[in-house]
Amino acid sequence: MTQRIQIAAVFIIIHLSFGYVVYPNLIYMLTETAHWEVIICQCLLQLILIWVYMKGLNYFPAQNVIDIYLKMGRWAAIIFLTPFAINLIVLASLNNRIHTEVIISIFLPRTPYWAILVLLFFISVYTALKGLGTILRSAIFIFLFVIPLVVLNIFSSSVNFNIHNVTPGLNLPPKFLLEMKFFYLLGFSSFLFLGFIASKTKLLFRQLFAAWVIVTLLSLSIVYIPLFIFGQDTVVTLKNPFLESMDSIDISWFSFNRQAIFFGVLLVGLVILTNSVLFWMIGTIMQKVYKWNASYWISAFSFIALIIALVVPNKNLLEKYFLWSSGAQAFFMIIIPITIFIYGFWSNGGVRGHGKK
Amino acid sequence: MGKNSLYKLFFAFMMIMLLCGCWDIKDINKRTIPLVLGISKTKGGEYKITLQIPVLKNERQVSKVVTGTGETITSALGKIRTNSENAVDYTQIRLIVVQNHLAHNQKEFTNIVKFLMGSEEIPSRSLIAITDENVEDVLSSINDKLGVHASSIYDFFNKGADWAPEVFSTPVWEVYRSLFSSTKDIAVPLIRSGKNTVLIFEGSDILRKGEIMDRLKPEEIQLIRVLQNKNEKGKIESLGFASIMVSNSSIRLKPSLINNKPSLSSDLNIKINVLERNDGVTNKKIMEELERIIEERFFQILRRMQESHTDIFGFGQEFQQLISYNELKNWRDEYYPDLKVNFEVKVNME
């Protein structure tokens, strides 16, 4: 039971981590009115994929995604999972770098970015090396520490809300569904890690559904807080809308006069856990597919990720690359659940739980 | 065993490295922390930055005023940094005063607001004000007044609810928002240095997309605040034969669109306390007179604003639901001049 709560916590934390930095900008680019439509559509699409993924995984009890691919054949594992692992490296490194930039602009304006980058990398690699148990336990810790801050952010920002800045209308027909950027949005959700831990616990769709509802509500808050404060016209001109909306809050009776600091602290917690999960996934994939100790793989690949993060020259390119890598991530998010589902269905002749124990 | 101690050694080594994390931080007592920033331009066309910095060590002097010039605001700020004996920390600036010749130039003012918003150091929640005087005089006037604090210029704008409801504050981010908004304009307070007090509040300049359209007196500004749903509590009004204080106010706006012509009915409810009155003045007379005065004042401002296509009341915001997003971009020029407002004031005695 506790493990399921831990998994839900990881699920929410990863979504939040991806959600805060680039996600709102993408939504504002996709539509000018009825932003909720985009978010709900994306979350529903994600829910469908999760359902397919869970169904597929349930055909193979006590086996994770890598085992299933290996069952298909070693070639399948190499073809599907090696590019995925490489994408994860890029995603981890860019995610870390993007968070570093935001953290610098909030409270460490004079510190060179490599110093923060190295620190964040060190902690997340350490967590990843310690294995899944540590990640899950620290997820609970970070969750307890981050959620009050998220709530504080939401409530404190409400002093600047102006409901009239948002049009709650409908967009019919929903044109954004055909845009490429809409599918990029999918890359921000990462439910794929669920398949990597399934060997330890049997997951219930019901509990994940609860986590999914929380994630949807949080996504709405991330998009709507800047909208309520600035309005669509202004929000598209801002580089980091959520950060600016935190910065606009001035509660003179409150002992801390910068709400953005809380936001920065929150980001640190989120990025460390997210990256450790990504590294751990890389480690598991490589160990099972290429047979070598996972910790060596993690160390080597995190070093490559660090180099990539250091090499990216500026913010504009960073955001572009991040978008590309999340686009690739979205691709895997569709491909992996569907192949698993089809293989499971085919190999078991449609009978559930028929696989070898 | 050997592997474990190697781990520990590595961990201890990392700790030592992390301990050096503060190498680039200056202690707070070695920083200069300005509270007010003044922006003006010299005759040569260079930006001139004036900072009011509290002095803690000297008992006679509460603050000092430092200036620097440069081709851009950043270079002027940088110059002050170079010449200062301490590290200058701009993150605590609470008020930004812009001199009128910059504020009256739409392009200049827009650039300043964009710079302030984009700047990572200067907080976007700091307040902004315009002055007709020399910025330096306004900032240095604090040194001549007896018994005031270095933070008094900032305190001037933050008296707290119902102490002086006419004085209102506008943060930088709101001005920035108004640069892009198509349905709401903004008022920026106008200040000058006083003879006995630190500042005198003179009213506000009304900005439409960064361009100054009009200037309103303090009592007119008051009304705008009420209509934007901020409370008018504490306002004292003299009717000639009586003085009253507003103890509560609320407003209800109801937009409607008929034949593409916008109309708005707004009911303002005011609760008052009578502070003093001449002999024989009835409650009814006071109420009627107050209703008349407020309505008259409102329609006067509205007419002026509609002529200059400036939506200071933010009435366009009410039509977000009725007019489509793209049409709303033409709100000021196409809809607003035709807007009919059915404004009714209802005064109640407490």
Coordinates of all heavy atoms in Angstrom, one line a residue, chain A residues 32-33 104-105 108-112 114-115 119 122 126 129 160 162 164-168 228-234 237-238 244 247-250 252 257-258 315, chain B residues 7 10-11 14 18 21 23-25 81 88 91-92 94 117-118 120-121 123-125 154 158 173 176-178 180-182 184 317-318 320-321 323 325-326 329:
Chain A
E32 N -5.4 30.9 -27.8 CA -5.5 32.2 -27.1 C -6.7 32.3 -26.1 O -6.7 33.1 -25.2 CB -5.7 33.3 -28.2 CG -4.5 33.6 -28.9 CD -4.7 34.6 -30.1 OE1 -5.8 34.6 -30.7 OE2 -3.8 35.4 -30.4
T33 N -7.7 31.4 -26.4 CA -8.8 31.4 -25.5 C -9.0 29.9 -25.1 O -8.5 29.0 -25.7 CB -10.1 31.9 -26.1 OG1 -10.2 31.2 -27.4 CG2 -10.0 33.4 -26.3
I104 N 18.8 30.1 -11.0 CA 19.8 31.3 -11.0 C 19.0 32.6 -11.0 O 19.3 33.5 -10.2 CB 20.7 31.1 -12.2 CG1 21.7 30.1 -11.9 CG2 21.4 32.5 -12.5 CD1 22.7 29.8 -13.1
S105 N 18.0 32.7 -11.9 CA 17.3 33.9 -12.0 C 16.5 34.2 -10.7 O 16.1 35.4 -10.5 CB 16.4 34.0 -13.2 OG 15.4 33.1 -13.1
L108 N 20.1 33.0 -7.2 CA 21.6 33.0 -7.2 C 22.1 33.7 -8.4 O 22.8 33.1 -9.3 CB 22.0 31.5 -7.2 CG 21.7 30.7 -5.9 CD1 21.9 29.2 -6.2 CD2 22.6 31.1 -4.8
P109 N 21.9 35.0 -8.5 CA 22.2 35.7 -9.8 C 23.7 35.7 -10.1 O 24.0 35.9 -11.3 CB 21.6 37.1 -9.6 CG 21.5 37.2 -8.2 CD 21.3 35.9 -7.6
R110 N 24.5 35.6 -9.1 CA 25.9 35.7 -9.4 C 26.7 34.3 -9.5 O 27.8 34.3 -9.8 CB 26.6 36.5 -8.3 CG 26.3 37.9 -8.3 CD 26.5 38.6 -7.0 NE 25.8 39.8 -7.1 CZ 26.2 40.8 -7.9 NH1 27.4 40.7 -8.5 NH2 25.5 41.9 -8.0
T111 N 26.0 33.3 -9.2 CA 26.6 32.0 -9.2 C 26.7 31.5 -10.7 O 25.7 31.5 -11.4 CB 25.9 31.0 -8.3 OG1 25.6 31.6 -7.1 CG2 26.6 29.7 -8.1
P112 N 27.8 31.0 -11.1 CA 27.9 30.4 -12.4 C 27.0 29.2 -12.5 O 26.9 28.5 -11.6 CB 29.4 30.1 -12.6 CG 29.9 30.0 -11.3 CD 29.1 31.0 -10.4
W114 N 27.3 26.3 -14.0 CA 27.9 25.0 -13.8 C 27.9 24.5 -12.4 O 27.8 23.4 -12.1 CB 29.3 24.9 -14.4 CG 30.3 25.9 -13.8 CD1 30.7 27.1 -14.3 CD2 31.1 25.7 -12.6 NE1 31.6 27.7 -13.5 CE2 31.9 26.8 -12.5 CE3 31.2 24.7 -11.7 CZ2 32.8 27.0 -11.4 CZ3 32.1 24.8 -10.6 CH2 32.8 26.0 -10.5
A115 N 28.1 25.5 -11.4 CA 28.2 25.1 -10.0 C 26.9 24.5 -9.6 O 26.9 23.4 -8.9 CB 28.5 26.3 -9.2
L119 N 26.0 20.4 -8.7 CA 25.4 20.1 -7.4 C 24.1 19.3 -7.6 O 23.9 18.2 -7.0 CB 25.1 21.3 -6.6 CG 24.4 21.1 -5.3 CD1 25.3 20.4 -4.3 CD2 24.0 22.4 -4.7
F122 N 25.0 15.8 -8.9 CA 25.6 15.0 -7.9 C 24.5 14.3 -7.1 O 24.5 13.1 -6.9 CB 26.5 15.8 -7.1 CG 27.1 15.0 -6.0 CD1 28.0 14.0 -6.2 CD2 26.7 15.3 -4.7 CE1 28.6 13.3 -5.2 CE2 27.3 14.5 -3.6 CZ 28.2 13.5 -3.9
Y126 N 23.4 10.4 -7.2 CA 23.6 9.6 -5.9 C 22.3 8.9 -5.6 O 22.3 7.7 -5.2 CB 24.0 10.6 -4.8 CG 24.2 10.0 -3.5 CD1 25.4 9.2 -3.3 CD2 23.3 10.1 -2.4 CE1 25.6 8.6 -2.1 CE2 23.5 9.5 -1.2 CZ 24.7 8.7 -1.0 OH 24.9 8.1 0.1
L129 N 21.8 6.0 -7.9 CA 22.7 4.9 -7.7 C 22.2 4.1 -6.5 O 22.4 2.9 -6.4 CB 24.1 5.4 -7.3 CG 25.0 5.9 -8.5 CD1 26.3 6.5 -8.0 CD2 25.3 4.8 -9.4
N160 N -3.4 38.6 -6.5 CA -3.3 39.4 -7.7 C -4.3 39.0 -8.8 O -4.2 39.5 -9.9 CB -1.9 39.3 -8.3 CG -1.0 40.2 -7.5 OD1 -1.4 41.1 -6.8 ND2 0.3 39.9 -7.5
N162 N -7.2 38.5 -11.3 CA -8.4 39.2 -11.9 C -9.1 38.3 -12.8 O -8.6 37.9 -13.9 CB -7.8 40.4 -12.6 CG -9.0 41.3 -13.1 OD1 -10.1 40.9 -13.2 ND2 -8.7 42.5 -13.5
H164 N -11.4 38.5 -14.7 CA -11.8 39.0 -16.0 C -10.7 38.9 -17.1 O -10.9 39.1 -18.2 CB -12.3 40.4 -15.9 CG -13.5 40.6 -15.2 ND1 -14.7 39.9 -15.6 CD2 -13.8 41.3 -14.1 CE1 -15.7 40.2 -14.7 NE2 -15.2 41.1 -13.8
N165 N -9.5 38.5 -16.6 CA -8.4 38.4 -17.6 C -8.5 37.1 -18.4 O -7.8 36.9 -19.4 CB -7.0 38.3 -16.9 CG -6.6 39.7 -16.5 OD1 -7.0 40.7 -17.0 ND2 -5.8 39.8 -15.4
V166 N -9.4 36.2 -18.1 CA -9.5 35.0 -18.8 C -10.9 34.8 -19.4 O -11.9 35.2 -18.8 CB -9.3 33.8 -17.8 CG1 -9.4 32.5 -18.5 CG2 -7.9 33.9 -17.2
T167 N -10.9 34.3 -20.6 CA -12.2 34.0 -21.2 C -12.5 32.5 -21.1 O -11.7 31.7 -21.5 CB -12.1 34.3 -22.8 OG1 -11.2 35.3 -23.0 CG2 -13.4 34.7 -23.3
P168 N -13.5 32.2 -20.4 CA -13.7 30.8 -20.1 C -14.4 30.1 -21.3 O -15.0 29.0 -21.1 CB -14.6 30.8 -18.9 CG -15.3 32.0 -18.9 CD -14.5 33.0 -19.8
F228 N -4.6 34.4 -14.9 CA -5.4 35.3 -14.0 C -4.7 36.6 -13.7 O -5.3 37.6 -13.5 CB -5.8 34.5 -12.7 CG -6.9 33.6 -12.9 CD1 -6.9 32.3 -12.3 CD2 -8.1 34.0 -13.6 CE1 -8.0 31.5 -12.5 CE2 -9.2 33.2 -13.7 CZ -9.1 31.9 -13.2
I229 N -3.4 36.5 -13.5 CA -2.7 37.7 -13.1 C -2.4 38.6 -14.3 O -2.6 39.8 -14.2 CB -1.4 37.3 -12.4 CG1 -1.7 36.6 -11.1 CG2 -0.5 38.5 -12.1 CD1 -0.6 36.1 -10.3
F230 N -1.9 38.0 -15.4 CA -1.5 38.9 -16.5 C -2.5 38.9 -17.7 O -2.5 40.0 -18.4 CB -0.1 38.4 -17.0 CG 1.0 38.7 -16.1 CD1 1.6 37.6 -15.4 CD2 1.5 40.0 -15.8 CE1 2.6 37.8 -14.5 CE2 2.5 40.2 -14.9 CZ 3.1 39.1 -14.3
G231 N -3.2 37.9 -18.0 CA -4.0 37.8 -19.2 C -3.2 37.3 -20.3 O -2.0 37.5 -20.4
Q232 N -3.9 36.8 -21.3 CA -3.3 36.1 -22.5 C -2.3 37.1 -23.2 O -1.2 36.7 -23.6 CB -4.3 35.6 -23.4 CG -3.9 35.1 -24.8 CD -3.0 33.9 -24.7 OE1 -3.1 33.1 -23.8 NE2 -2.3 33.6 -25.8
D233 N -2.8 38.3 -23.4 CA -2.0 39.3 -24.2 C -0.6 39.5 -23.6 O 0.4 39.6 -24.4 CB -2.7 40.6 -24.3 CG -4.0 40.5 -25.0 OD1 -4.1 39.8 -26.0 OD2 -5.0 41.2 -24.6
T234 N -0.5 39.5 -22.3 CA 0.8 39.8 -21.7 C 1.6 38.6 -21.5 O 2.8 38.6 -21.6 CB 0.5 40.5 -20.3 OG1 -0.5 41.5 -20.5 CG2 1.8 41.1 -19.8
T237 N 4.3 37.5 -23.9 CA 5.5 38.2 -24.0 C 6.5 37.9 -22.9 O 7.6 38.3 -22.9 CB 5.2 39.7 -23.9 OG1 4.7 40.0 -22.6 CG2 4.2 40.2 -24.9
L238 N 6.1 37.1 -21.9 CA 6.9 36.8 -20.8 C 7.8 35.5 -21.1 O 7.2 34.6 -21.6 CB 6.1 36.6 -19.5 CG 5.4 37.8 -19.0 CD1 4.4 37.4 -17.9 CD2 6.3 38.9 -18.5
E244 N 7.3 35.0 -13.2 CA 6.9 36.4 -13.1 C 5.7 36.6 -12.2 O 5.6 37.5 -11.5 CB 6.6 37.0 -14.5 CG 7.8 37.1 -15.4 CD 8.8 38.1 -14.9 OE1 8.5 38.9 -14.0 OE2 9.9 38.2 -15.5
D247 N 6.7 36.5 -8.8 CA 7.4 37.7 -8.4 C 6.5 38.9 -8.2 O 6.9 39.9 -7.6 CB 8.4 38.0 -9.6 CG 9.8 38.1 -9.0 OD1 10.0 38.1 -7.8 OD2 10.8 38.1 -9.8
S248 N 5.3 38.8 -8.8 CA 4.4 40.0 -8.7 C 3.7 40.1 -7.3 O 3.1 41.1 -7.0 CB 3.4 39.9 -9.8 OG 2.4 39.0 -9.5
I249 N 3.8 39.0 -6.6 CA 3.1 39.0 -5.3 C 3.8 39.8 -4.2 O 5.0 39.6 -4.0 CB 2.9 37.5 -4.8 CG1 2.2 36.7 -5.9 CG2 2.2 37.5 -3.5 CD1 2.4 35.3 -5.8
D250 N 3.1 40.7 -3.6 CA 3.7 41.5 -2.6 C 2.8 41.5 -1.4 O 1.8 42.2 -1.3 CB 4.0 42.9 -3.1 CG 4.8 43.7 -2.1 OD1 5.3 43.2 -1.2 OD2 4.9 44.9 -2.4
S252 N 2.7 42.4 2.2 CA 3.6 43.1 3.1 C 3.6 42.6 4.5 O 4.6 42.7 5.2 CB 3.3 44.6 3.1 OG 1.9 44.8 3.2
N257 N 9.3 38.3 2.0 CA 8.7 39.2 1.0 C 8.9 38.7 -0.4 O 8.4 39.4 -1.3 CB 9.2 40.6 1.2 CG 10.6 40.8 0.7 OD1 11.3 39.8 0.5 ND2 11.0 42.0 0.5
R258 N 9.5 37.6 -0.6 CA 9.6 37.1 -2.0 C 9.0 35.7 -2.1 O 9.6 34.7 -1.7 CB 11.1 37.0 -2.4 CG 11.6 38.4 -2.9 CD 12.8 38.2 -3.7 NE 12.5 37.7 -5.0 CZ 13.5 37.3 -5.9 NH1 14.7 37.2 -5.5 NH2 13.1 36.9 -7.1
K315 N 19.8 30.2 -23.7 CA 18.5 29.8 -23.3 C 17.6 29.5 -24.5 O 16.8 28.5 -24.4 CB 17.8 31.0 -22.5 CG 18.1 30.9 -21.0 CD 17.3 32.0 -20.4 CE 17.8 32.2 -18.9 NZ 17.2 33.4 -18.3
Chain B
Y7 N 33.8 5.3 0.0 CA 32.6 6.0 -0.2 C 32.5 7.2 0.8 O 32.2 8.3 0.4 CB 31.4 5.1 0.1 CG 30.6 4.7 -1.1 CD1 30.3 3.4 -1.4 CD2 30.1 5.7 -2.0 CE1 29.6 3.0 -2.5 CE2 29.4 5.3 -3.1 CZ 29.2 4.0 -3.4 OH 28.4 3.7 -4.5
F10 N 34.8 9.9 0.0 CA 34.3 10.7 -1.2 C 33.2 11.6 -0.7 O 33.2 12.8 -1.1 CB 33.8 9.7 -2.2 CG 33.2 10.4 -3.5 CD1 34.1 11.1 -4.3 CD2 31.9 10.3 -3.7 CE1 33.5 11.8 -5.4 CE2 31.4 10.9 -4.9 CZ 32.2 11.7 -5.7
F11 N 32.4 11.1 0.1 CA 31.2 11.9 0.6 C 31.8 13.1 1.4 O 31.3 14.3 1.2 CB 30.4 11.0 1.5 CG 29.0 11.6 1.7 CD1 28.1 11.6 0.6 CD2 28.6 12.1 2.9 CE1 26.8 12.1 0.8 CE2 27.4 12.7 3.1 CZ 26.5 12.6 2.0
M14 N 33.0 15.7 -0.9 CA 32.0 16.5 -1.5 C 31.4 17.5 -0.6 O 31.1 18.6 -0.9 CB 30.8 15.5 -1.9 CG 30.9 14.9 -3.3 SD 31.7 15.8 -4.6 CE 30.3 16.9 -5.1
L18 N 31.0 21.5 -1.1 CA 29.7 22.2 -1.0 C 29.8 23.3 0.0 O 29.1 24.3 -0.1 CB 28.6 21.2 -0.6 CG 28.3 20.1 -1.6 CD1 27.1 19.3 -1.0 CD2 27.9 20.7 -2.9
G21 N 30.2 26.8 -1.2 CA 29.1 27.3 -2.0 C 28.9 28.8 -1.9 O 28.3 29.4 -2.8
W23 N 31.0 31.2 -2.1 CA 32.2 32.0 -2.4 C 31.9 33.3 -3.1 O 32.6 34.3 -3.1 CB 33.2 31.2 -3.3 CG 32.8 31.1 -4.7 CD1 33.3 32.0 -5.7 CD2 32.0 30.1 -5.4 NE1 32.8 31.6 -6.9 CE2 32.0 30.5 -6.8 CE3 31.3 29.0 -5.0 CZ2 31.3 29.8 -7.7 CZ3 30.6 28.3 -6.0 CH2 30.6 28.7 -7.3
D24 N 30.7 33.3 -3.8 CA 30.4 34.6 -4.6 C 29.3 35.4 -3.9 O 28.7 36.2 -4.5 CB 30.0 34.2 -6.0 CG 28.9 33.2 -6.0 OD1 28.5 32.7 -4.9 OD2 28.4 32.8 -7.0
I25 N 29.1 35.2 -2.6 CA 28.0 35.9 -1.9 C 28.6 37.0 -1.1 O 29.6 36.7 -0.3 CB 27.2 35.0 -1.1 CG1 26.5 33.9 -2.0 CG2 26.1 35.7 -0.3 CD1 25.5 34.4 -2.9
R81 N 27.6 51.0 -9.5 CA 28.1 49.8 -8.9 C 29.7 49.9 -8.8 O 30.3 49.6 -7.8 CB 27.8 48.6 -9.7 CG 27.6 47.4 -8.8 CD 26.9 46.3 -9.6 NE 25.7 45.8 -8.9 CZ 24.8 45.1 -9.4 NH1 24.9 44.7 -10.7 NH2 23.8 44.7 -8.7
V88 N 26.5 46.9 -4.6 CA 25.2 47.4 -4.6 C 24.2 46.3 -5.0 O 24.4 45.6 -6.0 CB 25.1 48.6 -5.7 CG1 23.7 49.3 -5.6 CG2 26.2 49.6 -5.4
T91 N 18.1 44.4 -5.5 CA 16.9 43.5 -5.3 C 15.9 44.0 -4.3 O 14.8 43.5 -4.2 CB 17.3 42.1 -4.9 OG1 18.1 42.2 -3.7 CG2 18.1 41.4 -6.0
Q92 N 16.2 45.0 -3.5 CA 15.3 45.5 -2.5 C 14.6 46.8 -2.9 O 14.0 47.5 -2.1 CB 16.0 45.6 -1.2 CG 16.5 44.3 -0.6 CD 15.4 43.3 -0.5 OE1 14.3 43.6 0.0 NE2 15.7 42.1 -0.9
R94 N 12.0 49.4 -3.8 CA 10.6 49.3 -3.6 C 9.8 50.4 -4.4 O 8.6 50.3 -4.5 CB 10.3 49.6 -2.1 CG 11.1 48.7 -1.1 CD 11.0 47.2 -1.4 NE 9.6 46.7 -1.4 CZ 9.0 46.2 -0.3 NH1 9.7 46.1 0.8 NH2 7.8 45.7 -0.4
M117 N 10.7 45.2 -16.1 CA 10.1 43.9 -16.0 C 11.1 42.8 -16.3 O 11.1 41.7 -15.6 CB 8.9 43.8 -16.9 CG 8.0 42.7 -16.8 SD 7.1 42.8 -15.3 CE 6.2 41.2 -15.3
G118 N 11.9 43.0 -17.3 CA 12.8 42.0 -17.7 C 14.0 41.8 -16.8 O 14.7 40.8 -16.7
E120 N 16.3 41.0 -13.9 CA 16.2 40.0 -12.9 C 16.5 40.5 -11.5 O 16.0 40.0 -10.5 CB 17.2 38.8 -13.2 CG 16.6 37.9 -14.2 CD 17.7 36.9 -14.7 OE1 18.8 36.8 -14.2 OE2 17.3 36.1 -15.7
E121 N 17.2 41.6 -11.5 CA 17.6 42.2 -10.2 C 16.5 43.1 -9.6 O 16.1 43.0 -8.4 CB 18.9 43.0 -10.3 CG 20.1 42.1 -10.3 CD 21.3 42.9 -10.0 OE1 21.6 43.1 -8.9 OE2 21.9 43.3 -11.0
P123 N 13.0 44.1 -8.7 CA 11.8 43.3 -8.6 C 10.6 44.0 -9.3 O 10.5 45.2 -9.3 CB 11.5 43.3 -7.1 CG 12.3 44.4 -6.5 CD 13.4 44.6 -7.4
S124 N 9.8 43.1 -10.0 CA 8.7 43.7 -10.7 C 7.5 44.1 -9.8 O 6.6 44.7 -10.3 CB 8.2 42.7 -11.8 OG 7.9 41.5 -11.2
R125 N 7.6 43.8 -8.5 CA 6.5 44.2 -7.7 C 6.8 45.6 -7.0 O 6.0 46.1 -6.2 CB 6.3 43.2 -6.6 CG 7.5 43.0 -5.7 CD 7.2 41.9 -4.7 NE 8.4 41.8 -3.8 CZ 9.6 41.3 -4.2 NH1 9.7 40.8 -5.4 NH2 10.6 41.2 -3.4
Y154 N 8.7 55.0 0.5 CA 8.0 53.8 0.3 C 6.8 53.7 1.2 O 5.7 53.4 0.7 CB 8.9 52.5 0.4 CG 8.1 51.3 0.4 CD1 7.6 50.8 -0.9 CD2 7.9 50.5 1.5 CE1 6.9 49.7 -1.0 CE2 7.1 49.3 1.4 CZ 6.6 48.9 0.2 OH 5.9 47.8 0.1
N158 N 2.2 53.0 1.2 CA 1.7 51.8 1.9 C 1.1 52.2 3.3 O 1.6 51.7 4.3 CB 2.7 50.7 2.0 CG 2.9 50.0 0.7 OD1 2.0 49.2 0.4 ND2 3.9 50.2 0.0
W173 N 4.7 45.6 -12.6 CA 4.1 44.5 -13.4 C 2.7 44.9 -13.9 O 2.3 44.5 -15.0 CB 4.0 43.2 -12.7 CG 3.2 43.1 -11.5 CD1 3.6 43.3 -10.2 CD2 1.8 42.7 -11.4 NE1 2.5 43.1 -9.4 CE2 1.4 42.8 -10.1 CE3 0.8 42.4 -12.4 CZ2 0.1 42.5 -9.7 CZ3 -0.5 42.1 -12.0 CH2 -0.8 42.2 -10.6
Y176 N 3.3 47.1 -16.9 CA 3.7 46.2 -18.0 C 2.5 45.5 -18.6 O 2.4 45.5 -19.8 CB 4.7 45.2 -17.4 CG 5.2 44.2 -18.5 CD1 6.3 44.6 -19.3 CD2 4.7 42.9 -18.6 CE1 6.7 43.8 -20.3 CE2 5.2 42.1 -19.6 CZ 6.2 42.5 -20.4 OH 6.7 41.7 -21.4
R177 N 1.6 45.0 -17.8 CA 0.4 44.3 -18.3 C -0.4 45.3 -19.1 O -1.0 44.9 -20.1 CB -0.4 43.8 -17.1 CG -1.7 43.1 -17.5 CD -2.4 42.6 -16.3 NE -2.9 43.6 -15.4 CZ -3.6 43.4 -14.3 NH1 -3.6 42.2 -13.8 NH2 -4.1 44.4 -13.6
S178 N -0.5 46.6 -18.7 CA -1.4 47.5 -19.4 C -0.8 47.8 -20.8 O -1.5 48.3 -21.6 CB -1.6 48.8 -18.6 OG -0.4 49.6 -18.7
F180 N 0.1 45.8 -22.9 CA -0.5 44.8 -23.9 C -2.0 44.6 -23.8 O -2.6 44.1 -24.7 CB 0.2 43.4 -23.6 CG 1.7 43.5 -23.7 CD1 2.5 43.7 -22.6 CD2 2.3 43.4 -25.0 CE1 3.9 43.7 -22.7 CE2 3.7 43.5 -25.0 CZ 4.5 43.6 -23.9
S181 N -2.5 45.0 -22.7 CA -4.0 44.8 -22.5 C -4.8 45.7 -23.5 O -4.4 46.8 -23.8 CB -4.4 45.2 -21.1 OG -5.7 45.2 -21.0
S182 N -5.9 45.1 -24.0 CA -6.7 45.8 -24.9 C -8.0 46.3 -24.3 O -8.8 47.0 -24.9 CB -7.0 45.0 -26.1 OG -7.4 43.7 -25.7
K184 N -8.0 47.4 -20.7 CA -7.9 48.1 -19.4 C -6.7 49.0 -19.4 O -5.6 48.6 -19.9 CB -7.8 47.1 -18.3 CG -7.9 47.7 -16.9 CD -7.8 46.6 -15.9 CE -7.9 47.2 -14.5 NZ -7.6 46.3 -13.5
Q317 N -13.0 44.8 -19.6 CA -12.8 43.5 -18.9 C -14.2 42.8 -18.7 O -14.3 41.6 -18.8 CB -12.2 43.7 -17.5 CG -10.8 44.3 -17.6 CD -9.8 43.3 -17.7 OE1 -9.8 42.5 -18.7 NE2 -8.8 43.3 -16.8
E318 N -15.2 43.6 -18.4 CA -16.5 43.0 -18.2 C -17.1 42.4 -19.4 O -18.0 41.5 -19.3 CB -17.5 44.1 -17.7 CG -17.0 44.8 -16.4 CD -17.1 43.9 -15.2 OE1 -17.9 43.1 -15.1 OE2 -16.2 44.1 -14.4
Q320 N -15.4 40.5 -21.6 CA -14.6 39.4 -22.0 C -15.5 38.2 -22.5 O -15.2 37.5 -23.4 CB -13.7 38.9 -20.9 CG -12.6 39.8 -20.5 CD -11.4 39.6 -21.3 OE1 -11.4 39.0 -22.4 NE2 -10.3 40.2 -20.8
Q321 N -16.7 38.1 -21.8 CA -17.5 36.9 -22.1 C -18.4 37.2 -23.3 O -18.9 36.3 -23.9 CB -18.4 36.6 -20.9 CG -17.9 35.6 -20.0 CD -16.6 36.1 -19.2 OE1 -15.5 35.9 -19.8 NE2 -16.7 36.7 -18.1
I323 N -17.8 39.6 -26.0 CA -17.2 39.9 -27.2 C -16.0 38.9 -27.4 O -15.3 38.6 -26.5 CB -16.6 41.3 -27.2 CG1 -17.8 42.3 -26.9 CG2 -16.0 41.7 -28.6 CD1 -17.4 43.7 -26.8
Y325 N -12.5 37.1 -28.4 CA -11.1 37.6 -28.1 C -10.5 38.5 -29.1 O -9.9 39.5 -28.8 CB -10.2 36.3 -27.9 CG -8.8 36.6 -27.6 CD1 -8.4 37.0 -26.3 CD2 -7.8 36.5 -28.6 CE1 -7.1 37.3 -26.0 CE2 -6.5 36.8 -28.3 CZ -6.2 37.2 -27.0 OH -4.9 37.5 -26.8
N326 N -10.7 38.1 -30.4 CA -10.1 39.0 -31.5 C -10.8 40.3 -31.6 O -10.2 41.3 -31.9 CB -10.1 38.2 -32.8 CG -9.1 37.1 -32.8 OD1 -8.0 37.2 -32.2 ND2 -9.4 36.0 -33.4
K329 N -9.8 43.2 -29.2 CA -8.6 44.0 -29.5 C -9.0 45.4 -30.0 O -8.2 46.3 -29.8 CB -7.8 43.3 -30.5 CG -7.1 42.0 -30.0 CD -5.8 41.8 -30.8 CE -5.1 40.5 -30.4 NZ -5.1 40.1 -29.0

